[in-house]
């Protein structure tokens, strides 16, 4: 059998597009149209330029073109002589001229600068005068704080009982008429004994002079206990116990001698009073004629302060 070769048909068009090419063409047709933004912007700019040329025709509203260099040169050429404010005549200044290189009179500018400088100088002087006393007050406060830190007793009011300068004095009472007062006196007394410092207890129920002395110092009738350290009034039971809880009471006893005694006083047994040696506690003296009189050596209770511990 002879081989057969296919002859091309001259009327038949060749297949130039494949299947894949046709699919790509279909995708391109479905894509949206891309707009060139640059061309649109160029069109807008050209429109604005045409509008601007039309606006330039309105030459009546155009201000003079003032360059910065001309303004600086005109200010340098202006007179810098300072005029006193009292001698300035405002009516002598010229009005602003739009056609000139400067809108204001050079003399007016100089006067304005001078007024601003004088105002600033005046404010500085006032500020300096006000600042000086504040600085002095601050220095005084700092000195007081340093003194208080060195001696904490300076923070308390100065009220010195008789013989209380440099010592500890406690006004108490041994009467149980008011239970709270009696217990407060015992609490403060126990606290001082625990610090083992020498203190002088003045019982107002045993000696009326102590009561009058306390009222005179406090300026009125007050109830014990009342504590004084080195001529400074510390306070009553509440104030003293609060200072002890805060840890600020012990430092107040700096410089106070310690009590090295192991027991109570041999003379009074810790009562701090003994019977009068003259009247033996009767507070009366019988004379040779049989008449009695008050003893001048003891108090109303026939007692005297213990000569050993007080």
């Amino acid at each position: 059998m002879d081989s057969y070769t296919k002859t091309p048909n001259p009327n038949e068009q060749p297949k130039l597009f494949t299947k894949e090419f046709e699919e790509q063409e279909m995708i391109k047709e479905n894509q949206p149209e891309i707009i060139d933004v640059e061309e649109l912007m160029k069109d807008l700019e050209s429109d604005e330029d045409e509008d601007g040329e039309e606006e330039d025709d309105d030459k009546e509203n155009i201000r003079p073109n003032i360059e910065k260099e001309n303004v600086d040169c005109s200010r340098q050429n202006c007179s810098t002589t300072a005029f006193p404010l009292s001698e300035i005549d405002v009516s002598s200044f010229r009005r602003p001229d739009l056609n000139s290189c400067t809108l204001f009179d050079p003399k007016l500018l100089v006067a304005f600068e001078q007024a601003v400088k004088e105002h600033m100088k005046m404010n500085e002087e006032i500020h300096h005068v006000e600042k000086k006393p504040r600085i002095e007050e601050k220095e005084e406060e700092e000195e007081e704080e340093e003194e208080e830190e060195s001696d904490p007793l300076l923070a308390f009011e100065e009220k010195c009982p008789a013989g209380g300068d440099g010592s500890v004095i406690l006004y108490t009472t041994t009467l149980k008429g008011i239970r709270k007062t009696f217990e407060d006196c015992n609490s403060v007394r126990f606290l001082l004994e625990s610090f083992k410092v020498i203190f002088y207890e003045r019982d107002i129920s045993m000696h009326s002079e102590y009561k009058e002395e306390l009222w005179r110092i406090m300026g009125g009738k007050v109830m014990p206990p009342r504590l004084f350290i080195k001529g400074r009034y510390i306070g009553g039971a509440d104030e003293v116990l609060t200072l002890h809880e805060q840890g600020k009471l012990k430092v107040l006893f700096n410089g106070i001698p310690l009590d090295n005694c192991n027991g109570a006083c041999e003379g009074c047994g810790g009562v701090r009073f003994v019977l009068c040696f003259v009247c033996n506690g009767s507070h009366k003296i019988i004379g040779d004629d049989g008449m009695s009189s008050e003893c001048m050596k003891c108090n109303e209770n026939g007692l005297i302060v213990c000569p050993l511990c007080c």
Side-chain angles (χ1 to χ4, degrees):
M1 196 175 172
D2 297 335
S3 62
Y4 173 76
T5 58
K6 186 177 181 181
T7 60
N9 188 359
N11 297 323
E12 185 180 0
Q13 294 182 357
K15 294 183 178 180
L16 300 177
F17 304 100
T18 61
K19 186 178 182 180
E20 295 179 354
F21 184 78
E22 292 177 356
E23 291 178 355
Q24 291 179 2
E25 290 294 331
M26 292 177 65
I27 292 171
K28 288 181 180 180
E29 291 178 356
N30 295 328
Q31 287 182 353
E33 183 181 358
I34 299 173
I35 300 173
D36 192 356
V37 180
E38 293 182 358
E39 293 180 358
L40 292 176
M41 294 299 295
K42 289 179 180 179
D43 295 337
L44 292 175
E45 289 177 357
S46 60
D47 294 338
E48 289 179 356
D49 293 338
E50 293 176 357
D51 295 338
E53 291 176 357
E54 293 177 358
E55 291 178 355
D56 290 341
D57 295 337
D58 188 8
K59 296 181 180 180
E60 293 179 357
N61 297 326
I62 299 174
R63 293 189 177 182
N65 186 11
I66 302 173
E67 296 181 358
K68 187 175 180 181
E69 295 180 357
N70 295 333
V71 175
D72 294 337
C73 294
S74 63
R75 289 186 179 180
Q76 291 178 2
N77 296 328
C78 293
S79 175
T80 57
T81 306
F83 300 97
L85 295 178
S86 59
E87 298 180 2
I88 295 176
D89 186 7
V90 179
S91 62
S92 63
F93 298 135
R94 66 172 175 79
R95 294 183 179 181
D97 187 4
L98 297 178
N99 296 323
S100 64
C101 60
T102 58
L103 295 177
F104 299 99
D105 191 348
K107 293 181 180 180
L108 179 61
L109 293 174
V110 174
F112 178 74
E113 292 177 357
Q114 183 184 357
V116 172
K117 291 179 180 179
E118 290 182 0
H119 181 69
M120 293 176 63
K121 185 178 180 181
M122 188 181 299
N123 288 339
E124 290 177 357
E125 292 177 355
I126 294 173
H127 182 68
H128 181 70
V129 172
E130 293 178 352
K131 188 176 180 181
K132 188 174 181 180
R134 291 180 183 177
I135 295 173
E136 293 178 354
E137 291 177 0
K138 188 176 181 180
E139 291 178 353
E140 291 178 357
E141 291 177 357
E142 290 177 354
E143 290 178 358
E144 291 178 358
E145 290 178 357
E146 290 177 357
E147 290 178 356
E148 290 179 0
E149 290 177 357
S150 60
D151 189 1
L153 281 173
L154 297 176
F156 295 91
E157 186 179 1
E158 185 176 2
K159 289 183 178 181
C160 184
D165 190 12
S167 60
V168 180
I169 295 178
L170 175 64
Y171 288 89
T172 61
T173 181
T174 54
L175 293 178
K176 298 181 180 180
I178 302 176
R179 184 172 181 179
K180 185 179 185 306
T181 302
F182 178 74
E183 290 178 353
D184 289 343
C185 293
N186 290 338
S187 299
V188 177
R189 185 188 303 108
F190 175 79
L191 192 60
L192 296 180
E193 290 175 352
S194 64
F195 287 124
K196 295 183 178 181
V197 293
I198 296 176
F199 67 96
Y200 300 97
E201 183 178 353
R202 295 180 178 179
D203 191 346
I204 64 173
S205 62
M206 299 288 287
H207 196 24
S208 60
E209 290 185 4
Y210 288 162
K211 180 175 63 176
E212 295 174 358
E213 183 181 77
L214 176 61
W215 290 359
R216 184 174 61 254
I217 294 169
M218 300 301 298
K221 296 181 179 181
V222 295
M223 297 297 292
R226 303 290 168 174
L227 180 63
F228 297 84
I229 301 176
K230 293 182 179 181
R232 299 280 178 170
Y233 174 62
I234 307 303
D238 295 337
E239 292 82 0
V240 174
L241 294 177
T242 302
L243 289 173
H244 176 61
E245 292 174 357
Q246 295 176 352
K248 299 179 181 180
L249 182 61
K250 188 174 182 179
V251 295
L252 301 179
F253 296 110
N254 292 336
I256 303 297
L258 299 177
D259 188 5
N260 297 321
C261 298
N262 296 325
C265 176
E266 296 178 356
C268 64
V271 182
R272 302 181 188 276
F273 288 93
V274 294
L275 294 175
C276 179
F277 301 125
V278 177
C279 64
N280 295 324
S282 63
H283 192 52
K284 292 181 180 180
I285 298 176
I286 300 175
D288 296 338
D289 55 356
M291 299 296 294
S292 63
S293 61
E294 291 185 358
C295 179
M296 304 302 296
K297 300 294 183 180
C298 59
N299 60 11
E300 68 279 6
N301 296 320
L303 302 175
I304 61 173
V305 179
C306 179
L308 297 179
C309 63
C310 297

